[in-house]
């Protein structure tokens, strides 16, 4: 992302944000409420067109492409809320995740299903259940699994721990770690600073629509200012 | 009593297809198409042209009419509803009233107000003990069940069905997952156009083909759809059967011409007690 | 020609009242009343039946307004806590059922025979031969009163509340005001105006039967509001004027276009009404008028 200014109705919320994620790495964006995290995410996945600046995906400029077109290029997205089809079964969620995005050269549905279920063994037994009846943590896994079905190169997660109990959030970040280990590039926006940075290679701290700090995750975690501000002085 | 039940089921089946069409379009487009009654009349007249004017057998005329009106339904959406898509359900509802008036008067202009009948052989009703079933009722039974089966299979087991259900369930996520909303909308209107045409033919067989036919079905169709929980297409069918039976059984205590009042009372009672539908689960917009 | 003009202007006045009522309910309040013709019909029947029973016409008119207001409030109560789609269909159902009851309960309403000999209010006031003119003045006075009241209402705190309820019921609820209460009151006031319009209809024709009332009355009212601009009372009155003159004027086309029967012409006219409604919604969504707001209202509304 290069010099991105974005916002709603002409009011910029992001004031010239630049950062990049290297292939195969995990980048976590943290910051207080209202710092522009979700605006940043929407701009990244193509739900919001920036006022100025560019969004680059590999070598290609995707600034003007909408979400479906970016999805077709291998950018998968798990929105913060309402990220599953509640009235459909888990299997159908995975099917829908696959069939409208996967290119013809992609591995078959069956192969991808096996691969994804290996990453999320917890949902294998739930394939026939209606997704809306699952627990919060399981729903997040279904949402991530559906996004991973077409074998994307980048997975964007918007506040994956939102609404989860601390215990479930920890389990979820273990799963996210598994996904990262499988070679997928991850862009995560997360309110839970400690959990988020703990799972990341790099961290970006966003404050008031500007980048306050961009560094390897361990350095961000160790930064005294950040510790005081967002980790409650711990 | 047995006869009443049979008549009630047939009445319910007549409601089932337009109710299904109504709630299908509602589930994807989030607006209640008030013109559904006029769609039914238009379809019935198109088939009348094929059947009586051009002399086709009814099944052929019905297939051709359904295909033609399906395209017309997409066209109407393109001209009238699509430009208003972002302006909310109420504006679309008012627009659909305009569409209803326009369509009904196209019919009146070309066909006049006189009732007409399809050209079908007259046959004696069949008897099963005390219960009488005439050929029109048998046709309705078979045609509606066949149509429902087809729609159910499309819905449950095909890629198209998953597309429609995904958009109905969560339009934003469906877009993220690469589903084109405008294509789904077009498919939905195609299916709705076919269903309303078929139901128009069946209503025309059961009674007459006349410009008012859709209007008299409007309230029962909406009630049936609400009974099922309006955004839940397959439950609309159950709603239609319930309403058909209720209307028929009510003739035991009320004059026949007050059917509509039975419908209205059912709707009011439902809205007061279970507004999310008899068979639906509580509608959560999130 | 003068006779024709007076007749048409009377129809304009009645249509303007129906339009103003809908403008309050839908234009300002966002409540879709598809059963408008039913409430109008109820007004006509209450006024007509009471008048032939010997009640003074103005008293009958008052009863009609109260009666329709009460039933409007009731039908709003059934459905206003749900979305607008439900209100539309409940009011429509109510109207249809009312038409059925009026058609079949002959002992009360004289059924399809209709009610005839309905006396107009204050007929003794006017010189012989000036009855129609006098009635027109009365109708125009009614429009003026209703217009003034609605304008005052639109600028009042209640008017702001109504618009706020339309634009964002959630915020109104959060401010501790009852959305349900606002909507029921809006529907009742609109109902009273519809009762007035229906009563004038009954007085003017002095004969009513169920076939005079149909969904097309609803369509005309919606047309008037859409043309006039949702929320603009002045626009609605002006557009009722224009519409009725266009519709009445189009009757003369029958002499100009050979081969067109009355029913074909009616069909064309109504077809154009339907198409016009959709076209206006698409191309001129704000109509030709402007919603009246006080300076304060503009400030508060920008928050919503």
């Amino acid at each position: 992302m290069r010099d991105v200014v974005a916002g709603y109705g002409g009011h910029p919320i992001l004031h010239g944000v630049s950062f990049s994620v290297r292939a195969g790495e995990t980048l976590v964006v943290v910051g207080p409420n209202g710092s522009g995290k979700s605006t940043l995410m929407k701009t990244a996945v193509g739900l919001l067109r920036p006022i100025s600046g560019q969004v680059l995906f590999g070598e290609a400029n995707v600034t003007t492409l909408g979400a479906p077109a970016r999805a077709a290029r291998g950018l998968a997205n798990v929105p913060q809320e309402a990220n599953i089809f509640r009235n459909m079964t888990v299997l159908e969620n995975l099917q829908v995740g696959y069939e409208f995005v996967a290119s013809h050269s992609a591995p078959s549905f069956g192969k991808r299903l096996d691969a994804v279920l290996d990453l999320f063994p917890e949902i294998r037994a739930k394939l026939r259940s209606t997704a809306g009846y699952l627990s919060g943590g399981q729903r997040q896994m279904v949402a991530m699994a559906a996004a991973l079905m077409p074998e994307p190169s980048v997975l964007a997660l918007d506040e994956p721990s939102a609404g989860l109990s601390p215990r479930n959030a920890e389990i979820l970040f273990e799963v996210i770690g598994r996904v990262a280990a499988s070679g997928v590039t991850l862009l995560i926006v997360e309110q839970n600073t400690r959990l988020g940075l703990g799972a990341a290679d790099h961290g970006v701290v966003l404050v008031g629509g500007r980048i306050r700090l961009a560094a390897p995750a361990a350095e961000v975690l160790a930064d005294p200012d950040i510790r005081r501000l967002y980790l409650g002085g711990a | 009593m047995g006869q009443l039940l049979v008549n009630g089921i047939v009445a319910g089946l007549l409601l089932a297809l337009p109710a299904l069409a109504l709630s299908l379009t509602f589930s994807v487009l989030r607006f209640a198409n008030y013109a559904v009654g006029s769609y039914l009349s238009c379809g019935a007249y198109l088939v009348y042209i094929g059947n009586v004017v051009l002399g086709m057998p009814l099944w052929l005329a019905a297939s051709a009419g359904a295909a033609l009106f399906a395209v017309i339904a997409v066209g109407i959406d393109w001209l009238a509803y699509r430009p208003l898509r972002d302006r909310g359900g109420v504006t679309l509802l008012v627009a659909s009233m305009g569409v209803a008036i326009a369509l009904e008067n196209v019919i009146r202009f070309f066909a006049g107000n006189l009732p007409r009948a399809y050209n079908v052989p007259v046959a004696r009703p069949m008897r099963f003990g005390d219960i009488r079933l005439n050929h029109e009722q048998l046709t309705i039974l078979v045609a509606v069940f066949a149509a429902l089966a087809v729609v159910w299979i499309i819905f449950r087991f095909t890629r198209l069905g998953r597309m429609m259900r995904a958009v109905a369930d969560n339009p934003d996520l469906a877009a993220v997952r690469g589903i084109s909303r405008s294509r789904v909308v077009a498919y939905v209107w195609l299916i709705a156009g076919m269903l309303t045409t078929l139901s128009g033919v069946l209503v025309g067989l059961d009674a007459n083909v006349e410009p008012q036919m859709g209007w008299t079905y409007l309230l029962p169709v909406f009630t049936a759809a609400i009974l099922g929980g309006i955004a839940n297409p397959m439950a609309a069918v159950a709603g239609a059967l319930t309403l058909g039976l209720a209307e028929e059984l009510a003739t035991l205590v009320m004059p026949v011409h007050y059917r509509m009042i039975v419908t209205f009372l059912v709707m009011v009672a439902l809205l007061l007690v279970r507004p999310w539908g008899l068979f639906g689960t509580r509608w959560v917009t999130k | 020609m003068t006779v024709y003009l007076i007749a048409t202007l009377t129809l304009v006045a009645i249509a303007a009242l129906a339009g103003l009522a809908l403008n309050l309910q839908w234009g300002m309040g966002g409540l879709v009343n598809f059963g408008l013709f039913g409430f109008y019909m109820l007004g006509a029947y209450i006024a007509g039946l009471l008048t032939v029973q010997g009640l003074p016409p103005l008293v009958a008119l008052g009863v009609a307004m109260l009666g329709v207001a009460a039933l409007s409030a009731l039908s709003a109560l059934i459905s206003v806590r749900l979305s607008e789609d439900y209100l539309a269909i409940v009011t429509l159902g109510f109207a249809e059922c009312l038409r059925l009851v009026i058609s079949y309960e002959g002992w009360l309403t004289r059924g399809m025979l209709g009610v005839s000999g309905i006396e107009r209010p204050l007929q003794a006031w006017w010189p012989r031969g000036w009855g129609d003119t006098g009635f027109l003045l009365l109708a125009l006075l009614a429009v003026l009163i209703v217009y003034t009241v609605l304008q005052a209402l639109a600028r009042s705190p209640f008017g702001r509340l109504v618009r706020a309820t339309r634009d964002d019921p959630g915020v109104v609820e959060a401010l501790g005001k009852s959305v349900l209460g606002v909507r029921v009151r809006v529907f009742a006031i609109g109902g009273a105006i519809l009762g007035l319009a229906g009563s004038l209809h009954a007085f003017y024709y002095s004969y009513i039967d169920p076939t005079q009332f149909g969904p097309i009355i609803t369509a005309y009212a919606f047309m008037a509001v859409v043309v006039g601009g949702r929320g603009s009372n002045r626009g609605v009155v002006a557009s009722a004027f224009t519409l009725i003159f266009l519709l009445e004027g189009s009757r003369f086309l029958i002499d100009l276009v050979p081969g067109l029967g009355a029913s074909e012409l009616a069909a064309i006219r109504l077809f154009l009404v339907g198409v016009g409604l959709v076209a206006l919604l698409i191309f001129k969504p704000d109509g030709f008028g402007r919603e009246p707001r006080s300076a304060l209202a503009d400030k508060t509304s920008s928050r919503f």
Side-chain angles (χ1 to χ4, degrees):
Chain A
M1 216 184 259
R2 194 179 290 161
D3 297 331
V4 165
V5 177
Y8 305 92
H11 291 283
I13 293 172
L14 295 181
H15 307 277
V17 169
S18 302
F19 66 87
S20 59
V21 197
R22 237 168 290 155
E25 293 195 340
T26 299
L27 179 107
V28 169
V29 180
V30 295
N33 275 330
S35 60
K37 293 195 303 286
S38 61
T39 309
L40 182 145
M41 192 51 136
K42 283 187 180 140
T43 318
V45 299
L47 291 173
L48 187 70
R49 190 175 287 196
I51 299 167
S52 64
Q54 289 182 326
V55 182
L56 303 174
F57 190 65
E59 297 295 303
N61 183 351
V62 296
T63 314
T64 55
L65 294 182
R70 290 189 202 183
R73 284 166 179 253
L75 171 66
N77 171 24
V78 179
Q80 179 181 349
E81 279 174 337
N83 50 20
I84 52 163
F85 298 109
R86 303 156 47 104
N87 300 315
M88 300 171 85
T89 65
V90 171
L91 182 62
E92 284 172 335
N93 266 278
L94 300 184
Q95 267 175 307
V96 171
Y98 177 82
E99 62 193 343
F100 303 102
V101 177
S103 60
H104 292 290
S105 58
S108 72
F109 175 75
K111 274 195 184 138
R112 285 304 300 156
L113 186 64
D114 280 341
V116 165
L117 289 179
D118 284 344
L119 278 175
F120 302 94
E122 297 87 343
I123 58 175
R124 194 181 279 275
K126 303 273 184 185
L127 281 180
R128 303 274 161 202
S129 326
T130 303
Y133 295 136
L134 299 181
S135 71
Q138 286 170 333
R139 284 196 230 176
Q140 280 293 355
M141 287 186 207
V142 172
M144 281 167 53
L148 285 171
M149 282 301 293
E151 203 170 28
S153 49
V154 178
L155 179 66
L157 302 175
D158 194 356
E159 307 261 0
S161 76
L164 295 186
S165 68
R167 173 83 195 110
N168 278 333
E170 267 174 43
I171 295 174
L172 188 75
F173 268 93
E174 281 172 38
V175 178
I176 291 174
R178 260 183 265 157
V179 174
S182 75
V184 179
T185 310
L186 284 170
L187 170 62
I188 305 174
V189 163
E190 179 55 58
Q191 192 144 359
N192 188 327
T193 311
R194 195 198 317 253
L195 266 181
L197 289 171
D201 300 309
H202 284 274
V204 166
V205 182
L206 198 65
V207 179
R210 293 192 168 80
I211 291 183
R212 170 92 169 256
L213 180 67
E219 277 178 42
V220 178
L221 263 176
D223 187 284
D225 277 356
I226 304 300
R227 291 183 74 90
R228 191 162 36 78
L229 278 171
Y230 307 118
L231 298 175
Chain B
M1 194 65 196
Q3 185 69 49
L4 273 184
L5 287 180
V6 169
N7 293 350
I9 289 171
V10 171
L13 289 175
L14 280 176
L15 290 174
L17 297 186
L20 176 60
L22 177 69
S23 87
L24 186 62
T25 47
F26 185 89
S27 70
V28 167
L29 293 152
R30 290 277 164 251
F31 100 92
N33 182 26
Y34 178 83
V36 64
S38 307
Y39 281 26
L40 186 153
S41 318
C42 268
Y45 271 92
L46 280 179
V47 174
Y48 178 86
I49 294 175
N51 174 232
V52 177
V53 182
L54 303 176
M56 298 180 198
L58 190 62
W59 65 267
L60 183 62
S63 319
L68 183 58
F69 191 72
V71 176
I72 294 177
V74 176
I76 293 172
D77 176 63
W78 213 73
L79 285 174
Y81 300 144
R82 203 168 124 126
L84 296 169
R85 196 89 80 218
D86 300 327
R87 298 253 296 279
V90 180
T91 306
L92 280 163
L93 186 67
V94 176
S96 69
M97 177 170 73
V99 169
I101 295 169
L103 288 180
E104 201 180 305
N105 284 288
V106 169
I107 296 175
R108 283 185 203 278
F109 181 80
F110 288 108
N113 293 325
L114 290 178
R116 294 154 191 267
Y118 290 120
N119 186 6
V120 282
V122 183
R124 273 166 159 252
M126 291 164 285
R127 287 189 170 280
F128 305 94
D130 282 347
I131 296 172
R132 220 160 48 101
L133 188 72
N134 62 36
H135 278 253
E136 286 76 21
Q137 289 176 314
L138 186 67
T139 312
I140 291 168
L141 225 68
V142 173
V144 172
F145 275 120
L148 289 177
V150 170
V151 174
W152 187 74
I153 289 169
I154 292 178
F155 233 61
R156 210 73 247 168
F157 301 111
T158 68
R159 187 182 143 100
L160 171 62
R162 280 191 295 273
M163 266 165 100
M164 292 192 293
R165 280 161 56 216
V167 173
D169 194 319
N170 190 337
D172 293 338
L173 184 62
V176 167
R177 296 276 179 267
I179 298 174
S180 148
R181 178 144 194 253
S182 49
R183 269 183 54 202
V184 174
V185 167
Y187 282 124
V188 162
W189 282 117
L190 279 175
I191 294 174
M194 288 190 223
L195 289 174
T196 40
T197 303
L198 182 55
S199 61
V201 177
L202 298 175
V203 170
L205 271 181
D206 187 59
N208 283 314
V209 180
E210 50 173 337
Q212 283 282 318
M213 61 195 288
W215 170 252
T216 48
Y217 268 82
L218 188 60
L219 196 63
V221 165
F222 266 83
T223 307
I226 295 174
L227 268 172
I230 183 148
N232 189 348
M234 278 314 183
V237 175
L241 283 173
T242 314
L243 184 63
L245 285 169
E247 281 185 345
E248 210 57 52
L249 291 177
T251 56
L252 291 172
V253 290
M254 264 176 126
V256 181
H257 53 248
Y258 280 161
R259 278 183 95 103
M260 191 86 96
I261 294 185
V262 179
T263 306
F264 184 63
L265 292 178
V266 168
M267 183 196 293
V268 167
L270 188 76
L271 289 183
L272 288 175
V273 185
R274 263 184 86 89
W276 53 90
L278 214 48
F279 308 101
T281 42
R282 189 160 213 159
W283 184 250
V284 189
T285 40
K286 188 79 197 218
Chain C
M1 196 59 205
T2 328
V3 175
Y4 192 76
L5 194 67
I6 289 174
T8 309
L9 280 175
T10 311
L11 294 181
V12 167
I14 296 174
L17 286 173
L20 285 171
L22 184 67
N23 194 33
L24 172 69
Q25 295 178 334
W26 178 49
M28 245 178 92
L31 303 172
V32 186
N33 185 356
F34 272 10
L36 184 137
F37 78 90
F39 298 102
Y40 179 92
M41 181 185 197
L42 183 66
Y45 264 88
I46 296 179
L49 286 170
L50 289 180
T51 308
V52 277
Q53 290 300 315
L55 222 62
L58 281 181
V59 177
L61 184 145
V63 176
M65 287 175 71
L66 286 177
V68 179
L71 262 162
S72 291
L74 190 68
S75 66
L77 264 179
I78 294 170
S79 48
V80 280
R81 56 203 182 94
L82 304 164
S83 77
E84 297 85 352
D85 315 333
Y86 290 99
L87 183 61
I89 205 68
V90 165
T91 53
L92 180 73
F94 166 78
E96 268 307 294
C97 292
L98 187 76
R99 187 157 67 161
L100 280 177
V101 170
I102 287 177
S103 302
Y104 288 106
E105 298 301 314
W107 58 272
L108 179 67
T109 64
R110 307 192 195 165
M112 298 306 288
L113 290 175
V115 184
S116 56
I118 303 166
E119 196 191 325
R120 290 181 187 170
L122 310 180
Q123 276 303 284
W125 283 21
W126 321 106
R128 277 183 79 82
W130 289 84
D132 281 352
T133 315
F135 186 72
L136 172 62
L137 291 177
L138 208 65
L140 291 177
L141 180 70
V143 175
L144 187 70
I145 294 173
V146 167
Y147 175 82
T148 314
V149 169
L150 288 182
Q151 283 298 93
L153 192 97
R155 292 172 201 282
S156 71
F158 181 69
R160 285 200 294 278
L161 187 59
V162 172
R163 277 191 296 269
T165 312
R166 171 193 68 190
D167 295 338
D168 196 336
V171 169
V172 174
E173 201 76 61
L175 290 174
K177 310 266 188 194
S178 158
V179 170
L180 181 71
V182 171
R183 291 183 167 174
V184 168
R185 271 180 286 167
V186 164
F187 231 63
I189 299 171
I193 301 172
L194 286 173
L196 173 64
S199 308
L200 291 182
H201 173 110
F203 294 139
Y204 176 65
Y205 290 102
S206 81
Y207 166 78
I208 47 175
D209 73 50
T211 62
Q212 294 172 358
F213 307 92
I216 203 64
I217 293 179
T218 309
Y220 285 156
F222 269 90
M223 193 79 176
V225 175
V226 172
V227 174
R230 287 181 59 181
S232 162
N233 290 322
R234 195 178 316 167
V236 168
V237 174
S239 71
F241 185 86
T242 321
L243 278 179
I244 296 292
F245 266 85
L246 280 179
L247 289 169
E248 289 296 313
S250 69
R251 287 184 204 280
F252 293 112
L253 282 177
I254 203 164
D255 304 325
L256 299 176
V257 189
L260 272 190
S263 63
E264 279 93 354
L265 196 72
I268 293 180
R269 205 164 57 201
L270 293 180
F271 173 76
L272 291 176
V273 168
V275 172
L277 197 56
V278 177
L280 278 164
L281 284 172
I282 295 173
F283 298 112
K284 197 87 179 120
D286 300 320
F288 298 92
R290 213 182 82 82
E291 187 163 28
R293 291 177 177 212
S294 60
L296 183 63
D298 276 327
K299 268 187 221 133
T300 43
S301 68
S302 66
R303 274 217 319 268
F304 294 124

